[in-house]
Amino acid sequence: MASIINNKTVINKRPQKKKKMNLTQLLEIDRAVLAWFNGSNSLFIDALAQNLTSGFTWIPLYLALVFVIIKNNDTMPQIFLAIGCAVLAVVVVSVSVELIIKPLFARLRPSQDPLIKHTIAVVNGMRGSQYSFFSAHAANTFSLAVYLSLLIKSRSLSVMLVSWSAINCWTRLYLGLHYPSDIFFGLLWGALVGWLAYAVYRRFGKPLGLPRTQQTSQTTATSYLQADIAKLLYIMALWIGVVIIYSIFNT
């Protein structure tokens, strides 16, 4: 409609609605981000990503964490509760993702999807299982990172654990085994499960005098020795160095 004011014509325009992003566009963004992370021309990075994505690679880290928990708890019930809640987080994530969520959504991995799998850079024929949504690697590692961060309450250890989870997430993208959205929702689920595992720890830890709150200059807020945390960080850094050297000589 046009209206005349002071001999000038003014056109009344309705504001245009912004177009909402649909599912197809979101999937295209997902694939574009994956393409940015996926593969390289480096045989060394190929070997490094393949080594870092393996759960067996991180056995020294798991053993070091168990040692720290055992050393910093006084009784067997305290030790079993602390370790048991970590195991609980991993079991809940693994069962929920592998047996329920992945079959329910049935989203093919990028490396398995017949529409795009030939555009995915695959390392040594590693294509993974059939479904990808969402990432059990992301969920498992982040559930442990959240739980152990709340358990031990050391800023340096929390940074290390979150970095460890991020490294695992990067390997899944680099190897073309997951989309970024798989990683994102895996991290969300892992954070929730890790928090719930700590809630279980607090609930059943009260009769055992847990969590402890006697912080000193030599301990964390939950009475874990800072010296033991430093040793754990040193072992982690040393082991990553070993993995890097191994990857160099196995390209």
Side-chain angles (χ1 to χ4, degrees), residues 33-249:
V33 175
L34 171 63
W36 192 84
F37 280 100
N38 175 228
S40 70
N41 295 319
S42 171
L43 293 177
F44 161 66
I45 299 179
D46 286 353
L48 182 63
Q50 194 167 19
N51 289 326
L52 290 174
T53 206
S54 171
F56 294 107
T57 297
W58 303 108
I59 288 177
L61 172 62
Y62 305 145
L63 294 176
L65 285 165
V66 168
F67 172 77
V68 168
I69 290 173
I70 292 174
K71 189 172 182 295
N72 286 271
N73 284 275
D74 301 323
T75 66
M76 291 305 294
Q78 290 178 342
I79 294 170
F80 281 134
L81 180 62
I83 296 176
C85 286
V87 173
L88 176 65
V90 172
V91 171
V92 169
V93 166
S94 299
V95 170
S96 62
V97 173
E98 298 297 342
L99 300 184
I100 301 174
I101 297 171
K102 282 186 177 181
L104 179 64
F105 285 91
R107 185 187 195 187
L108 293 174
R109 290 185 187 273
S111 55
Q112 297 283 8
D113 190 338
L115 295 177
I116 66 168
K117 69 178 184 179
H118 298 296
T119 67
I120 299 297
V122 175
V123 176
N124 295 328
M126 186 177 182
R127 292 189 177 274
S129 57
Q130 190 175 13
Y131 299 133
S132 72
F133 186 85
F134 42 73
S135 170
H137 270 72
N140 268 318
T141 57
F142 205 56
S143 70
L144 287 176
V146 170
Y147 168 70
L148 292 169
S149 295
L150 293 171
L151 175 71
I152 298 175
K153 290 190 176 1
S154 165
R155 182 175 297 179
S156 56
L157 179 64
S158 297
V159 171
M160 186 208 79
L161 290 170
V162 170
S163 299
W164 166 65
S165 180
I167 288 171
N168 276 271
C169 293
W170 166 76
T171 65
R172 308 310 283 176
L173 295 172
Y174 181 89
L175 296 169
L177 298 173
H178 285 290
Y179 293 99
S181 58
D182 300 336
I183 300 295
F184 175 74
F185 285 102
L187 291 172
L188 289 181
W189 181 237
L192 177 60
V193 172
W195 180 83
L196 289 174
Y198 185 68
V200 171
Y201 172 81
R202 287 181 61 91
R203 170 66 180 82
F204 291 97
K206 285 183 179 180
L208 304 175
L210 299 172
R212 294 164 297 177
T213 57
Q214 297 175 348
Q215 183 176 11
T216 69
S217 59
Q218 297 180 341
T219 64
T220 69
T222 50
S223 299
Y224 278 75
L225 289 172
Q226 297 285 6
D228 290 337
I229 305 302
K231 291 175 184 176
L232 181 56
L233 297 175
Y234 176 77
I235 290 172
M236 180 67 165
L238 182 64
W239 186 243
I240 289 179
V242 169
V243 174
I244 291 173
I245 293 173
Y246 178 81
S247 300
I248 291 173
F249 287 99

Side-chain angles (χ1 to χ4, degrees), residues 12-25:
N12 294 325
K13 296 182 179 179
R14 292 181 180 179
Q16 294 181 351
K17 293 183 178 180
K18 293 182 179 179
K19 293 183 179 180
K20 293 183 178 180
M21 196 171 292
N22 57 36
L23 181 60
T24 301
Q25 291 173 313

